[in-house]
Amino acid sequence: MGVINTAAAFENIGKAGFLDIEVDADLDLFAEIERLKQEKNAVVLAHYYQEPDIQDVADYIGDSLGLAQQAQRTEADIIVFAGVHFMAETAKILNPSKKVLLPDLKAGCSLSDSAPPALFKLFKEKYPDHLVISYINCSAGIKALSDIICTSSNAQKIVESLPADQPIIFAPDKNLGAYINKQTGRNMVLWNGACMVHEMFSLEKINRLKVRHPQAKVIAHPECEEAVLRIADTIGSTTQLLKYTEKSEFNEFIVVTETGILHQMQKNSPHKTFIPAPPNNSCACNDCPHMKLNTLEKLYLCLEYEQPELVMDEEIRIAAKRPIERMLEISAQYGL
Ligand code: 13P
Ligand code: SF4
């Protein structure tokens, strides 16, 4: 980090995705970020998969639904989104007049990338009588082609809010879609997308962990494959899993989602034990390479220089706004 001067860093931002400016190693980044937030009336929204330091400086940490709701109600002038691109995009769609910053513009999402809008448009044309429900982990282009957006915490309620005989296309996550089909008895047409992180968990290694920790409860995110979900004691969004561990009478959990969430779990239940589920490779835990592109240094720099900023096409923004608002309306009706 920090190889070029400020002017060159600004010029290079499109290529690098972030401001590559050297940060003084003695700077108290926590204090500096707090100062800048006050001075600029900025808010830091962070997802649970962010590194612990970022979670600790955030004004709000949450799952995708909570983050969208916070983005909708914030009165800050600047939103720093410590998450991935589609999350910052959602904040911008809801707040066109606010400045939305993302510490690293290259923080993408494999699931979102699995649904290119041009291909999805052709797919949708094959099912003219179907409504489209899209998981929030998709680009604004896909949102603009959708009728309602959902997240992992409200997907079931959103599907159930539609008449039982309403044909539905569910995109882009086939695992979440299959799970919701199973829960609701529907037969939604599924787009063939998946999250690289959640597809990588090893059923065999989780089963071995279960043998070593017979008291542990397996808690899993619905982006995991069906075989993993079948052995889970509870399934839910990151916030739902976190709440489950807080309220549970059990003390040990095998956590089958991205490891960032363990920071809040351990913080909120210091006497309980959290074991990250291992992926299908030589690593012991499973980090999202996109989420982990953001760092505390990049967050500080983007707040200081107000770059990189998320900008978007106004036509797509307007088309993508209605399905997000529908999700927020239905969620409010159910008290979510
Ligand atoms: P939630 O936090 O909404 O459960 O989503 C998980 C995820 O994969 C975000 O990228
Ligand atoms: Fe996308 Fe998966 Fe990373 Fe979430 S964890 S941002 S769904 S790649």
Side-chain angles (χ1 to χ4, degrees):
M1 182 93 154
V3 288
I4 38 188
N5 67 38
T6 311
F10 272 89
E11 252 171 57
N12 195 41
I13 200 164
K15 220 166 164 196
F18 62 97
L19 275 173
D20 195 6
I21 297 172
E22 187 157 348
V23 177
D24 181 350
D26 294 331
L27 207 60
D28 180 347
L29 290 180
F30 292 93
E32 283 301 303
I33 290 170
E34 279 312 320
R35 177 184 64 77
L36 289 165
K37 283 200 289 192
Q38 301 300 324
E39 271 177 29
K40 297 182 181 225
N41 188 28
V43 69
V44 176
L45 306 182
H47 188 266
Y48 291 118
Y49 296 164
Q50 293 294 286
E51 63 173 45
D53 282 351
I54 292 183
Q55 294 188 36
D56 291 344
V57 295
D59 298 290
Y60 176 84
I61 321 165
D63 66 3
S64 305
L65 177 63
L67 288 164
Q69 288 167 330
Q70 288 295 318
Q72 191 187 39
R73 64 175 76 118
T74 184
E75 284 177 6
D77 296 315
I78 296 178
I79 300 172
V80 181
F81 216 111
V84 290
H85 194 275
F86 75 80
M87 295 178 169
E89 212 170 43
T90 304
K92 186 68 184 175
I93 290 166
L94 293 168
N95 294 287
S97 61
K98 293 188 196 300
K99 196 173 253 187
V100 176
L101 307 171
L102 182 61
D104 191 323
L105 269 186
K106 290 203 170 158
C109 168
S110 65
L111 180 51
S112 176
D113 291 346
S114 68
L119 286 184
F120 185 71
K121 191 166 179 285
L122 294 175
F123 179 78
K124 186 183 155 177
E125 279 164 13
K126 289 199 274 179
Y127 304 95
D129 57 342
H130 285 50
L131 281 186
V132 177
I133 300 183
S134 291
Y135 187 36
I136 198 162
N137 298 36
C138 64
S139 64
I142 294 292
K143 290 185 174 81
L145 292 167
S146 307
D147 295 291
I148 318 180
I149 299 305
C150 72
T151 73
S152 51
S153 59
N154 61 18
Q156 187 171 337
K157 286 268 189 298
I158 288 196
V159 170
E160 286 171 345
S161 74
L162 297 176
D165 58 355
Q166 171 63 56
I168 300 169
I169 294 174
F170 189 91
D173 189 3
K174 63 176 179 188
N175 292 321
L176 176 62
Y179 172 66
I180 300 298
N181 270 345
K182 199 169 155 196
Q183 293 300 104
T184 59
R186 307 249 178 163
N187 188 21
M188 299 187 293
V189 175
L190 308 180
W191 176 264
N192 187 20
C195 158
M196 62 186 281
V197 178
H198 288 89
E199 281 231 307
M200 218 201 264
F201 286 108
S202 158
L203 182 62
E204 198 189 320
K205 288 183 189 172
I206 297 170
N207 276 328
R208 264 190 258 144
L209 274 179
K210 266 166 67 95
V211 173
R212 289 219 308 274
H213 304 271
Q215 304 301 324
K217 294 281 141 193
V218 176
I219 63 173
H221 195 279
E223 286 174 22
C224 295
E225 288 178 326
E226 204 214 333
V228 168
L229 295 181
R230 234 182 285 135
I231 61 156
D233 295 292
T234 194
I235 296 166
S237 76
T238 48
T239 297
Q240 289 167 339
L241 296 180
L242 177 64
K243 285 192 179 149
Y244 176 85
T245 61
E246 287 165 15
K247 290 195 185 129
S248 173
E249 55 183 311
F250 295 94
N251 287 317
E252 226 179 337
F253 304 91
I254 297 168
V255 184
V256 198
T257 189
E258 212 267 2
T259 39
I261 187 75
L262 267 75
H263 180 59
Q264 291 305 315
M265 287 179 173
Q266 199 67 76
K267 230 173 151 175
N268 297 357
S269 307
H271 305 300
K272 296 188 179 180
T273 304
F274 300 96
I275 307 154
N280 236 330
N281 57 27
S282 55
C283 302
C285 52
N286 206 355
D287 279 329
C288 171
H290 306 289
M291 286 278 182
K292 296 304 198 280
L293 277 181
N294 294 325
T295 62
L296 198 64
E297 285 81 5
K298 288 180 189 172
L299 195 155
Y300 158 73
L301 286 169
C302 92
L303 201 44
E304 167 79 3
Y305 295 101
E306 301 184 18
Q307 284 290 337
E309 181 182 0
L310 197 128
V311 281
M312 54 184 306
D313 178 272
E314 185 60 3
E315 213 176 299
I316 291 184
R317 189 193 70 76
I318 290 167
K321 191 170 177 231
R322 186 63 202 130
I324 298 174
E325 284 176 340
R326 278 192 80 183
M327 168 188 82
L328 293 170
E329 284 156 18
I330 298 170
S331 301
Q333 280 163 20
Y334 285 102
L336 296 170

